[in-house]
Amino acid sequence: MIRVKKVSRPKEIPLTEKLYLVEIAKGLAVTMNHFLKNLTNPRSIPTIDYPEVKRPVPPRFRGRHRLTKRPDGTPKCVACYCCATACPAVCITIEAGEHPDPQIEKYPVRFDIDMLRCIYCGMCVDACPEDAIRMDTGWYTVPERNREDLVYTIDMLLSD
Ligand code: SF4
Ligand code: SF4
């Protein structure tokens, strides 16, 4: 036996709903309510005046990288390639040079990070045996106008 399923007809929409006037008035009331609340108590506004005001970041937030320095201002990095090897995004390029100090074997002649590829995983920081690279700048405003500016050079990474 074939069963016929009964389908109920949609109820007729009243004219007031068809005109959306009541719904528009309700929407405007919600907007006005928020507008007046924010006008009388601006501190309750959940937004900030970015970019003039920036949100504080948690202590463990991974921001833009920096290279740490020795007391004489030279990079702590010994160009061991551990960070570049650990980087899953292959975005670190290092060229090693002979350090003038015989106590230090090498130093980075070139140290670039391609921020277009970086995924902010922090593995480069974890892999470094010299504490020479950190992501503690709290800097999250990385957009630039062209792609070339997003390859951070050693000078940028060493700058304060
Ligand atoms: S944070 Fe991750 S992806 Fe970015 S440079 Fe370091 S290891 Fe590579
Ligand atoms: S930043 Fe650290 S891990 Fe990377 S090359 Fe320099 S010393 Fe090695």
Side-chain angles (χ1 to χ4, degrees), residues 63-70 73-77 83 91-95 108-115 118 120 124-125 131-137 139 142 149-160:
R64 201 208 79 169
H65 308 66
R66 74 180 173 102
L67 289 176
T68 56
K69 298 178 201 169
R70 299 176 195 277
T74 57
K76 259 185 161 184
C77 175
C83 54
C91 57
I92 302 178
T93 307
I94 302 169
E95 278 175 27
V109 178
R110 178 184 172 195
F111 194 114
D112 295 347
I113 302 181
D114 186 347
M115 298 308 286
C118 177
Y120 291 84
C124 50
V125 178
D131 187 28
I133 184 166
R134 291 189 190 171
M135 296 177 78
D136 59 358
T137 52
W139 192 351
V142 290
D149 290 345
L150 280 159
V151 178
Y152 292 166
T153 60
I154 188 167
D155 293 334
M156 292 163 79
L157 294 165
L158 282 168
S159 72
D160 298 326

mmCIF file of all heavy atoms in Angstrom, residues 63-70 73-77 83 91-95 108-115 118 120 124-125 131-137 139 142 149-160:
data_model
loop_
_atom_site.group_PDB
_atom_site.id
_atom_site.type_symbol
_atom_site.label_atom_id
_atom_site.label_comp_id
_atom_site.label_asym_id
_atom_site.label_seq_id
_atom_site.Cartn_x
_atom_site.Cartn_y
_atom_site.Cartn_z
ATOM 1 N N GLY A 63 54.530 36.905 19.011
ATOM 2 C CA GLY A 63 54.480 38.031 18.077
ATOM 3 C C GLY A 63 55.594 37.923 17.056
ATOM 4 O O GLY A 63 56.192 36.869 16.869
ATOM 5 N N ARG A 64 55.888 39.051 16.431
ATOM 6 C CA ARG A 64 56.949 39.081 15.436
ATOM 7 C C ARG A 64 58.278 38.674 16.069
ATOM 8 O O ARG A 64 58.533 38.976 17.223
ATOM 9 C CB ARG A 64 57.058 40.509 14.876
ATOM 10 C CG ARG A 64 57.735 40.555 13.550
ATOM 11 C CD ARG A 64 58.427 41.887 13.346
ATOM 12 N NE ARG A 64 59.699 41.911 14.060
ATOM 13 C CZ ARG A 64 60.628 42.855 13.899
ATOM 14 N NH1 ARG A 64 60.390 43.857 13.111
ATOM 15 N NH2 ARG A 64 61.757 42.817 14.569
ATOM 16 N N HIS A 65 59.125 37.999 15.299
ATOM 17 C CA HIS A 65 60.407 37.515 15.818
ATOM 18 C C HIS A 65 61.370 38.672 16.086
ATOM 19 O O HIS A 65 61.242 39.736 15.513
ATOM 20 C CB HIS A 65 61.094 36.600 14.794
ATOM 21 C CG HIS A 65 60.233 35.489 14.290
ATOM 22 N ND1 HIS A 65 59.119 35.688 13.528
ATOM 23 C CD2 HIS A 65 60.349 34.154 14.432
ATOM 24 C CE1 HIS A 65 58.575 34.525 13.229
ATOM 25 N NE2 HIS A 65 59.301 33.581 13.765
ATOM 26 N N ARG A 66 62.353 38.372 16.911
ATOM 27 C CA ARG A 66 63.511 39.257 17.063
ATOM 28 C C ARG A 66 64.722 38.392 17.336
ATOM 29 O O ARG A 66 64.592 37.268 17.861
ATOM 30 C CB ARG A 66 63.301 40.269 18.184
ATOM 31 C CG ARG A 66 63.405 39.698 19.581
ATOM 32 C CD ARG A 66 63.194 40.775 20.623
ATOM 33 N NE ARG A 66 63.133 40.198 21.958
ATOM 34 C CZ ARG A 66 64.128 40.228 22.837
ATOM 35 N NH1 ARG A 66 65.280 40.801 22.524
ATOM 36 N NH2 ARG A 66 63.994 39.694 24.039
ATOM 37 N N LEU A 67 65.887 38.906 16.954
ATOM 38 C CA LEU A 67 67.140 38.220 17.270
ATOM 39 C C LEU A 67 67.750 38.913 18.474
ATOM 40 O O LEU A 67 67.830 40.143 18.509
ATOM 41 C CB LEU A 67 68.093 38.277 16.066
ATOM 42 C CG LEU A 67 67.710 37.415 14.851
ATOM 43 C CD1 LEU A 67 68.681 37.648 13.705
ATOM 44 C CD2 LEU A 67 67.681 35.929 15.213
ATOM 45 N N THR A 68 68.163 38.136 19.445
ATOM 46 C CA THR A 68 68.752 38.728 20.649
ATOM 47 C C THR A 68 70.231 39.048 20.393
ATOM 48 O O THR A 68 70.846 38.517 19.464
ATOM 49 C CB THR A 68 68.616 37.783 21.856
ATOM 50 O OG1 THR A 68 69.209 36.527 21.525
ATOM 51 C CG2 THR A 68 67.168 37.555 22.223
ATOM 52 N N LYS A 69 70.758 39.926 21.267
ATOM 53 C CA LYS A 69 72.127 40.408 21.040
ATOM 54 C C LYS A 69 73.043 40.071 22.219
ATOM 55 O O LYS A 69 72.584 39.906 23.351
ATOM 56 C CB LYS A 69 72.108 41.927 20.882
ATOM 57 C CG LYS A 69 71.311 42.423 19.701
ATOM 58 C CD LYS A 69 71.359 43.935 19.707
ATOM 59 C CE LYS A 69 70.220 44.538 18.924
ATOM 60 N NZ LYS A 69 70.092 45.958 19.127
ATOM 61 N N ARG A 70 74.340 40.060 21.934
ATOM 62 C CA ARG A 70 75.359 39.973 22.991
ATOM 63 C C ARG A 70 75.526 41.365 23.592
ATOM 64 O O ARG A 70 75.048 42.352 23.010
ATOM 65 C CB ARG A 70 76.701 39.516 22.384
ATOM 66 C CG ARG A 70 76.638 38.159 21.743
ATOM 67 C CD ARG A 70 77.977 37.804 21.081
ATOM 68 N NE ARG A 70 77.750 36.682 20.186
ATOM 69 C CZ ARG A 70 77.725 35.411 20.575
ATOM 70 N NH1 ARG A 70 77.941 35.109 21.834
ATOM 71 N NH2 ARG A 70 77.500 34.442 19.700
ATOM 72 N N GLY A 73 76.381 44.120 21.297
ATOM 73 C CA GLY A 73 75.420 44.490 20.245
ATOM 74 C C GLY A 73 75.400 43.561 19.043
ATOM 75 O O GLY A 73 74.567 43.723 18.156
ATOM 76 N N THR A 74 76.314 42.588 19.000
ATOM 77 C CA THR A 74 76.321 41.645 17.871
ATOM 78 C C THR A 74 75.285 40.543 18.134
ATOM 79 O O THR A 74 74.930 40.284 19.293
ATOM 80 C CB THR A 74 77.724 41.010 17.688
ATOM 81 O OG1 THR A 74 78.079 40.382 18.925
ATOM 82 C CG2 THR A 74 78.747 42.053 17.312
ATOM 83 N N PRO A 75 74.804 39.864 17.083
ATOM 84 C CA PRO A 75 73.780 38.837 17.306
ATOM 85 C C PRO A 75 74.310 37.638 18.107
ATOM 86 O O PRO A 75 75.451 37.235 17.932
ATOM 87 C CB PRO A 75 73.373 38.425 15.891
ATOM 88 C CG PRO A 75 74.385 38.961 14.981
ATOM 89 C CD PRO A 75 75.100 40.079 15.667
ATOM 90 N N LYS A 76 73.440 37.127 18.975
ATOM 91 C CA LYS A 76 73.796 35.930 19.748
ATOM 92 C C LYS A 76 73.850 34.687 18.858
ATOM 93 O O LYS A 76 74.435 33.674 19.211
ATOM 94 C CB LYS A 76 72.727 35.697 20.816
ATOM 95 C CG LYS A 76 73.109 36.145 22.209
ATOM 96 C CD LYS A 76 72.008 35.725 23.153
ATOM 97 C CE LYS A 76 72.436 35.700 24.573
ATOM 98 N NZ LYS A 76 71.371 35.193 25.443
ATOM 99 N N CYS A 77 73.178 34.794 17.740
ATOM 100 C CA CYS A 77 73.051 33.656 16.820
ATOM 101 C C CYS A 77 74.422 33.156 16.381
ATOM 102 O O CYS A 77 75.305 33.947 16.065
ATOM 103 C CB CYS A 77 72.222 34.099 15.613
ATOM 104 S SG CYS A 77 72.110 32.864 14.341
ATOM 105 N N CYS A 83 67.180 26.393 13.827
ATOM 106 C CA CYS A 83 65.849 26.992 13.637
ATOM 107 C C CYS A 83 65.346 26.753 12.216
ATOM 108 O O CYS A 83 64.189 26.391 12.008
ATOM 109 C CB CYS A 83 65.876 28.483 13.965
ATOM 110 S SG CYS A 83 67.145 29.384 13.064
ATOM 111 N N CYS A 91 60.800 28.906 6.057
ATOM 112 C CA CYS A 91 60.803 30.344 5.771
ATOM 113 C C CYS A 91 62.016 31.063 6.317
ATOM 114 O O CYS A 91 62.121 32.275 6.204
ATOM 115 C CB CYS A 91 59.516 30.981 6.269
ATOM 116 S SG CYS A 91 59.171 30.746 7.992
ATOM 117 N N ILE A 92 62.970 30.305 6.909
ATOM 118 C CA ILE A 92 64.177 30.955 7.442
ATOM 119 C C ILE A 92 65.357 30.670 6.512
ATOM 120 O O ILE A 92 65.613 29.514 6.161
ATOM 121 C CB ILE A 92 64.502 30.455 8.869
ATOM 122 C CG1 ILE A 92 63.321 30.716 9.811
ATOM 123 C CG2 ILE A 92 65.760 31.134 9.402
ATOM 124 C CD1 ILE A 92 63.518 30.215 11.224
ATOM 125 N N THR A 93 66.043 31.739 6.100
ATOM 126 C CA THR A 93 67.221 31.591 5.248
ATOM 127 C C THR A 93 68.426 32.150 5.997
ATOM 128 O O THR A 93 68.409 33.297 6.437
ATOM 129 C CB THR A 93 67.041 32.375 3.931
ATOM 130 O OG1 THR A 93 65.808 31.980 3.335
ATOM 131 C CG2 THR A 93 68.184 32.122 2.970
ATOM 132 N N ILE A 94 69.432 31.306 6.161
ATOM 133 C CA ILE A 94 70.625 31.726 6.906
ATOM 134 C C ILE A 94 71.853 31.499 6.042
ATOM 135 O O ILE A 94 71.958 30.490 5.338
ATOM 136 C CB ILE A 94 70.771 30.904 8.217
ATOM 137 C CG1 ILE A 94 69.531 31.068 9.102
ATOM 138 C CG2 ILE A 94 72.009 31.347 8.992
ATOM 139 C CD1 ILE A 94 69.484 30.096 10.274
ATOM 140 N N GLU A 95 72.776 32.454 6.104
ATOM 141 C CA GLU A 95 74.106 32.259 5.504
ATOM 142 C C GLU A 95 75.118 32.489 6.606
ATOM 143 O O GLU A 95 75.075 33.541 7.257
ATOM 144 C CB GLU A 95 74.345 33.235 4.358
ATOM 145 C CG GLU A 95 73.740 32.783 3.061
ATOM 146 C CD GLU A 95 73.878 33.813 1.963
ATOM 147 O OE1 GLU A 95 74.846 34.616 2.023
ATOM 148 O OE2 GLU A 95 73.007 33.839 1.082
ATOM 149 N N PRO A 108 75.674 34.803 11.706
ATOM 150 C CA PRO A 108 74.871 34.876 10.477
ATOM 151 C C PRO A 108 75.209 36.123 9.652
ATOM 152 O O PRO A 108 75.035 37.237 10.118
ATOM 153 C CB PRO A 108 73.428 34.940 11.008
ATOM 154 C CG PRO A 108 73.554 35.568 12.352
ATOM 155 C CD PRO A 108 74.903 35.241 12.887
ATOM 156 N N VAL A 109 75.710 35.900 8.458
ATOM 157 C CA VAL A 109 75.929 37.010 7.523
ATOM 158 C C VAL A 109 74.567 37.450 6.999
ATOM 159 O O VAL A 109 74.300 38.627 6.802
ATOM 160 C CB VAL A 109 76.821 36.543 6.346
ATOM 161 C CG1 VAL A 109 77.019 37.649 5.332
ATOM 162 C CG2 VAL A 109 78.142 36.024 6.856
ATOM 163 N N ARG A 110 73.701 36.457 6.803
ATOM 164 C CA ARG A 110 72.333 36.730 6.362
ATOM 165 C C ARG A 110 71.383 35.912 7.221
ATOM 166 O O ARG A 110 71.650 34.738 7.502
ATOM 167 C CB ARG A 110 72.200 36.323 4.894
ATOM 168 C CG ARG A 110 70.818 36.511 4.332
ATOM 169 C CD ARG A 110 70.744 35.990 2.902
ATOM 170 N NE ARG A 110 69.370 35.993 2.434
ATOM 171 C CZ ARG A 110 68.947 35.342 1.371
ATOM 172 N NH1 ARG A 110 69.786 34.630 0.648
ATOM 173 N NH2 ARG A 110 67.675 35.386 1.026
ATOM 174 N N PHE A 111 70.305 36.533 7.655
ATOM 175 C CA PHE A 111 69.270 35.829 8.424
ATOM 176 C C PHE A 111 67.934 36.441 8.040
ATOM 177 O O PHE A 111 67.597 37.537 8.489
ATOM 178 C CB PHE A 111 69.530 35.970 9.931
ATOM 179 C CG PHE A 111 68.729 35.016 10.783
ATOM 180 C CD1 PHE A 111 69.357 34.018 11.513
ATOM 181 C CD2 PHE A 111 67.354 35.107 10.852
ATOM 182 C CE1 PHE A 111 68.638 33.131 12.286
ATOM 183 C CE2 PHE A 111 66.612 34.220 11.613
ATOM 184 C CZ PHE A 111 67.256 33.238 12.335
ATOM 185 N N ASP A 112 67.213 35.780 7.171
ATOM 186 C CA ASP A 112 65.926 36.301 6.698
ATOM 187 C C ASP A 112 64.787 35.400 7.178
ATOM 188 O O ASP A 112 64.937 34.179 7.224
ATOM 189 C CB ASP A 112 65.853 36.306 5.164
ATOM 190 C CG ASP A 112 66.853 37.271 4.545
ATOM 191 O OD1 ASP A 112 67.412 38.087 5.283
ATOM 192 O OD2 ASP A 112 67.050 37.174 3.316
ATOM 193 N N ILE A 113 63.672 36.020 7.493
ATOM 194 C CA ILE A 113 62.451 35.241 7.749
ATOM 195 C C ILE A 113 61.375 35.751 6.806
ATOM 196 O O ILE A 113 61.061 36.945 6.799
ATOM 197 C CB ILE A 113 61.960 35.368 9.208
ATOM 198 C CG1 ILE A 113 63.044 34.927 10.191
ATOM 199 C CG2 ILE A 113 60.704 34.526 9.417
ATOM 200 C CD1 ILE A 113 62.630 34.988 11.648
ATOM 201 N N ASP A 114 60.854 34.846 6.001
ATOM 202 C CA ASP A 114 59.773 35.193 5.076
ATOM 203 C C ASP A 114 58.448 35.092 5.836
ATOM 204 O O ASP A 114 57.916 33.998 6.025
ATOM 205 C CB ASP A 114 59.803 34.226 3.884
ATOM 206 C CG ASP A 114 58.794 34.623 2.816
ATOM 207 O OD1 ASP A 114 57.921 35.466 3.104
ATOM 208 O OD2 ASP A 114 58.886 34.085 1.697
ATOM 209 N N MET A 115 57.942 36.238 6.265
ATOM 210 C CA MET A 115 56.738 36.249 7.087
ATOM 211 C C MET A 115 55.479 35.863 6.307
ATOM 212 O O MET A 115 54.436 35.594 6.898
ATOM 213 C CB MET A 115 56.549 37.620 7.732
ATOM 214 C CG MET A 115 57.667 38.009 8.659
ATOM 215 S SD MET A 115 58.037 36.767 9.915
ATOM 216 C CE MET A 115 56.662 36.953 11.013
ATOM 217 N N CYS A 118 55.510 32.202 7.257
ATOM 218 C CA CYS A 118 55.550 31.847 8.680
ATOM 219 C C CYS A 118 54.146 31.553 9.212
ATOM 220 O O CYS A 118 53.191 32.255 8.900
ATOM 221 C CB CYS A 118 56.167 32.998 9.463
ATOM 222 S SG CYS A 118 56.202 32.722 11.243
ATOM 223 N N TYR A 120 53.786 31.116 12.614
ATOM 224 C CA TYR A 120 53.867 31.513 14.039
ATOM 225 C C TYR A 120 53.792 30.310 14.985
ATOM 226 O O TYR A 120 53.156 30.378 16.023
ATOM 227 C CB TYR A 120 52.777 32.540 14.377
ATOM 228 C CG TYR A 120 53.000 33.876 13.735
ATOM 229 C CD1 TYR A 120 52.586 34.120 12.447
ATOM 230 C CD2 TYR A 120 53.651 34.887 14.421
ATOM 231 C CE1 TYR A 120 52.809 35.342 11.840
ATOM 232 C CE2 TYR A 120 53.874 36.119 13.829
ATOM 233 C CZ TYR A 120 53.453 36.339 12.546
ATOM 234 O OH TYR A 120 53.672 37.550 11.945
ATOM 235 N N CYS A 124 61.027 27.512 15.770
ATOM 236 C CA CYS A 124 62.373 28.077 15.628
ATOM 237 C C CYS A 124 62.899 28.513 16.991
ATOM 238 O O CYS A 124 64.076 28.297 17.305
ATOM 239 C CB CYS A 124 62.352 29.253 14.663
ATOM 240 S SG CYS A 124 61.091 30.476 15.019
ATOM 241 N N VAL A 125 62.028 29.091 17.805
ATOM 242 C CA VAL A 125 62.418 29.548 19.151
ATOM 243 C C VAL A 125 62.782 28.347 20.018
ATOM 244 O O VAL A 125 63.792 28.346 20.715
ATOM 245 C CB VAL A 125 61.268 30.365 19.785
ATOM 246 C CG1 VAL A 125 61.628 30.800 21.186
ATOM 247 C CG2 VAL A 125 60.926 31.567 18.907
ATOM 248 N N ASP A 131 69.263 30.712 22.655
ATOM 249 C CA ASP A 131 68.259 31.725 23.005
ATOM 250 C C ASP A 131 68.468 32.979 22.140
ATOM 251 O O ASP A 131 68.377 34.103 22.623
ATOM 252 C CB ASP A 131 68.351 32.074 24.506
ATOM 253 C CG ASP A 131 67.227 33.002 24.950
ATOM 254 O OD1 ASP A 131 66.150 32.957 24.336
ATOM 255 O OD2 ASP A 131 67.446 33.788 25.899
ATOM 256 N N ALA A 132 68.784 32.729 20.883
ATOM 257 C CA ALA A 132 69.128 33.841 19.991
ATOM 258 C C ALA A 132 67.925 34.364 19.217
ATOM 259 O O ALA A 132 68.006 35.429 18.616
ATOM 260 C CB ALA A 132 70.206 33.385 19.014
ATOM 261 N N ILE A 133 66.842 33.612 19.216
ATOM 262 C CA ILE A 133 65.642 34.065 18.497
ATOM 263 C C ILE A 133 64.446 33.949 19.442
ATOM 264 O O ILE A 133 64.283 32.943 20.131
ATOM 265 C CB ILE A 133 65.433 33.274 17.172
ATOM 266 C CG1 ILE A 133 64.238 33.830 16.396
ATOM 267 C CG2 ILE A 133 65.314 31.782 17.393
ATOM 268 C CD1 ILE A 133 64.167 33.350 14.948
ATOM 269 N N ARG A 134 63.681 35.002 19.482
ATOM 270 C CA ARG A 134 62.505 35.015 20.353
ATOM 271 C C ARG A 134 61.315 35.584 19.595
ATOM 272 O O ARG A 134 61.479 36.293 18.604
ATOM 273 C CB ARG A 134 62.756 35.880 21.585
ATOM 274 C CG ARG A 134 63.759 35.288 22.538
ATOM 275 C CD ARG A 134 63.786 36.068 23.815
ATOM 276 N NE ARG A 134 64.885 35.688 24.680
ATOM 277 C CZ ARG A 134 65.222 36.349 25.770
ATOM 278 N NH1 ARG A 134 64.541 37.431 26.127
ATOM 279 N NH2 ARG A 134 66.223 35.951 26.512
ATOM 280 N N MET A 135 60.126 35.303 20.134
ATOM 281 C CA MET A 135 58.893 35.848 19.533
ATOM 282 C C MET A 135 58.125 36.629 20.604
ATOM 283 O O MET A 135 56.913 36.578 20.683
ATOM 284 C CB MET A 135 58.031 34.716 18.964
ATOM 285 C CG MET A 135 58.693 33.980 17.832
ATOM 286 S SD MET A 135 57.727 32.614 17.211
ATOM 287 C CE MET A 135 56.538 33.476 16.211
ATOM 288 N N ASP A 136 58.869 37.341 21.445
ATOM 289 C CA ASP A 136 58.261 38.024 22.584
ATOM 290 C C ASP A 136 58.039 39.522 22.352
ATOM 291 O O ASP A 136 57.923 40.284 23.296
ATOM 292 C CB ASP A 136 59.124 37.812 23.832
ATOM 293 C CG ASP A 136 60.550 38.331 23.633
ATOM 294 O OD1 ASP A 136 60.857 38.813 22.531
ATOM 295 O OD2 ASP A 136 61.351 38.242 24.576
ATOM 296 N N THR A 137 58.038 39.930 21.094
ATOM 297 C CA THR A 137 57.882 41.370 20.810
ATOM 298 C C THR A 137 56.454 41.845 21.073
ATOM 299 O O THR A 137 56.224 43.041 21.238
ATOM 300 C CB THR A 137 58.228 41.663 19.338
ATOM 301 O OG1 THR A 137 57.460 40.776 18.518
ATOM 302 C CG2 THR A 137 59.698 41.471 19.057
ATOM 303 N N TRP A 139 54.332 42.040 18.946
ATOM 304 C CA TRP A 139 54.006 42.796 17.739
ATOM 305 C C TRP A 139 53.160 41.917 16.811
ATOM 306 O O TRP A 139 53.647 40.933 16.285
ATOM 307 C CB TRP A 139 55.299 43.213 17.059
ATOM 308 C CG TRP A 139 55.150 44.219 15.976
ATOM 309 C CD1 TRP A 139 53.992 44.674 15.417
ATOM 310 C CD2 TRP A 139 56.210 44.894 15.296
ATOM 311 N NE1 TRP A 139 54.266 45.586 14.445
ATOM 312 C CE2 TRP A 139 55.614 45.753 14.349
ATOM 313 C CE3 TRP A 139 57.601 44.865 15.393
ATOM 314 C CZ2 TRP A 139 56.373 46.553 13.507
ATOM 315 C CZ3 TRP A 139 58.347 45.668 14.555
ATOM 316 C CH2 TRP A 139 57.738 46.505 13.627
ATOM 317 N N VAL A 142 51.599 43.086 11.383
ATOM 318 C CA VAL A 142 52.611 42.784 10.376
ATOM 319 C C VAL A 142 52.239 43.152 8.935
ATOM 320 O O VAL A 142 53.082 43.022 8.072
ATOM 321 C CB VAL A 142 53.027 41.288 10.425
ATOM 322 C CG1 VAL A 142 53.812 40.981 11.676
ATOM 323 C CG2 VAL A 142 51.824 40.389 10.306
ATOM 324 N N ASP A 149 58.523 43.618 1.501
ATOM 325 C CA ASP A 149 58.696 44.148 2.860
ATOM 326 C C ASP A 149 58.364 43.114 3.931
ATOM 327 O O ASP A 149 58.597 43.348 5.114
ATOM 328 C CB ASP A 149 57.809 45.383 3.060
ATOM 329 C CG ASP A 149 58.310 46.557 2.262
ATOM 330 O OD1 ASP A 149 59.465 46.502 1.797
ATOM 331 O OD2 ASP A 149 57.554 47.524 2.081
ATOM 332 N N LEU A 150 57.795 42.000 3.530
ATOM 333 C CA LEU A 150 57.461 40.966 4.512
ATOM 334 C C LEU A 150 58.554 39.908 4.654
ATOM 335 O O LEU A 150 58.366 38.904 5.323
ATOM 336 C CB LEU A 150 56.117 40.325 4.164
ATOM 337 C CG LEU A 150 54.959 41.209 4.625
ATOM 338 C CD1 LEU A 150 53.698 40.894 3.877
ATOM 339 C CD2 LEU A 150 54.735 41.063 6.118
ATOM 340 N N VAL A 151 59.670 40.142 3.983
ATOM 341 C CA VAL A 151 60.848 39.308 4.242
ATOM 342 C C VAL A 151 61.713 40.108 5.209
ATOM 343 O O VAL A 151 62.333 41.096 4.834
ATOM 344 C CB VAL A 151 61.606 38.976 2.936
ATOM 345 C CG1 VAL A 151 62.855 38.155 3.235
ATOM 346 C CG2 VAL A 151 60.700 38.226 1.975
ATOM 347 N N TYR A 152 61.727 39.687 6.464
ATOM 348 C CA TYR A 152 62.464 40.427 7.492
ATOM 349 C C TYR A 152 63.933 40.057 7.432
ATOM 350 O O TYR A 152 64.289 38.886 7.470
ATOM 351 C CB TYR A 152 61.901 40.117 8.881
ATOM 352 C CG TYR A 152 60.512 40.643 9.113
ATOM 353 C CD1 TYR A 152 59.763 40.200 10.182
ATOM 354 C CD2 TYR A 152 59.947 41.599 8.275
ATOM 355 C CE1 TYR A 152 58.487 40.682 10.419
ATOM 356 C CE2 TYR A 152 58.675 42.089 8.498
ATOM 357 C CZ TYR A 152 57.951 41.628 9.565
ATOM 358 O OH TYR A 152 56.701 42.104 9.788
ATOM 359 N N THR A 153 64.765 41.070 7.355
ATOM 360 C CA THR A 153 66.217 40.859 7.258
ATOM 361 C C THR A 153 66.817 40.849 8.670
ATOM 362 O O THR A 153 66.152 41.178 9.645
ATOM 363 C CB THR A 153 66.852 41.990 6.450
ATOM 364 O OG1 THR A 153 66.584 43.212 7.134
ATOM 365 C CG2 THR A 153 66.297 42.057 5.036
ATOM 366 N N ILE A 154 68.093 40.534 8.721
ATOM 367 C CA ILE A 154 68.794 40.479 10.023
ATOM 368 C C ILE A 154 68.765 41.839 10.718
ATOM 369 O O ILE A 154 68.606 41.922 11.936
ATOM 370 C CB ILE A 154 70.231 39.934 9.842
ATOM 371 C CG1 ILE A 154 70.868 39.693 11.202
ATOM 372 C CG2 ILE A 154 71.092 40.850 8.994
ATOM 373 C CD1 ILE A 154 72.138 38.876 11.163
ATOM 374 N N ASP A 155 68.888 42.919 9.941
ATOM 375 C CA ASP A 155 68.883 44.253 10.556
ATOM 376 C C ASP A 155 67.522 44.541 11.197
ATOM 377 O O ASP A 155 67.448 45.106 12.281
ATOM 378 C CB ASP A 155 69.202 45.327 9.510
ATOM 379 C CG ASP A 155 70.632 45.201 9.011
ATOM 380 O OD1 ASP A 155 71.452 44.680 9.768
ATOM 381 O OD2 ASP A 155 70.893 45.612 7.865
ATOM 382 N N MET A 156 66.456 44.155 10.511
ATOM 383 C CA MET A 156 65.116 44.368 11.072
ATOM 384 C C MET A 156 64.915 43.506 12.319
ATOM 385 O O MET A 156 64.319 43.936 13.298
ATOM 386 C CB MET A 156 64.041 44.011 10.030
ATOM 387 C CG MET A 156 64.005 44.974 8.855
ATOM 388 S SD MET A 156 63.129 44.269 7.473
ATOM 389 C CE MET A 156 61.444 44.507 7.978
ATOM 390 N N LEU A 157 65.412 42.294 12.266
ATOM 391 C CA LEU A 157 65.212 41.383 13.395
ATOM 392 C C LEU A 157 66.066 41.756 14.612
ATOM 393 O O LEU A 157 65.739 41.412 15.721
ATOM 394 C CB LEU A 157 65.520 39.944 12.957
ATOM 395 C CG LEU A 157 64.555 39.377 11.919
ATOM 396 C CD1 LEU A 157 65.130 38.126 11.283
ATOM 397 C CD2 LEU A 157 63.209 39.063 12.543
ATOM 398 N N LEU A 158 67.153 42.482 14.345
ATOM 399 C CA LEU A 158 68.014 42.920 15.455
ATOM 400 C C LEU A 158 67.603 44.285 16.014
ATOM 401 O O LEU A 158 68.018 44.671 17.088
ATOM 402 C CB LEU A 158 69.471 42.995 14.994
ATOM 403 C CG LEU A 158 70.219 41.664 14.883
ATOM 404 C CD1 LEU A 158 71.548 41.874 14.146
ATOM 405 C CD2 LEU A 158 70.470 41.055 16.251
ATOM 406 N N SER A 159 66.788 45.013 15.243
ATOM 407 C CA SER A 159 66.450 46.371 15.680
ATOM 408 C C SER A 159 65.472 46.324 16.857
ATOM 409 O O SER A 159 64.697 45.389 17.017
ATOM 410 C CB SER A 159 65.826 47.148 14.530
ATOM 411 O OG SER A 159 64.531 46.666 14.276
ATOM 412 N N ASP A 160 65.520 47.364 17.663
ATOM 413 C CA ASP A 160 64.634 47.432 18.838
ATOM 414 C C ASP A 160 63.275 47.955 18.451
ATOM 415 O O ASP A 160 62.391 48.015 19.240
ATOM 416 C CB ASP A 160 65.267 48.310 19.922
ATOM 417 C CG ASP A 160 66.584 47.703 20.393
ATOM 418 O OD1 ASP A 160 66.681 46.470 20.418
ATOM 419 O OD2 ASP A 160 67.503 48.485 20.690
#
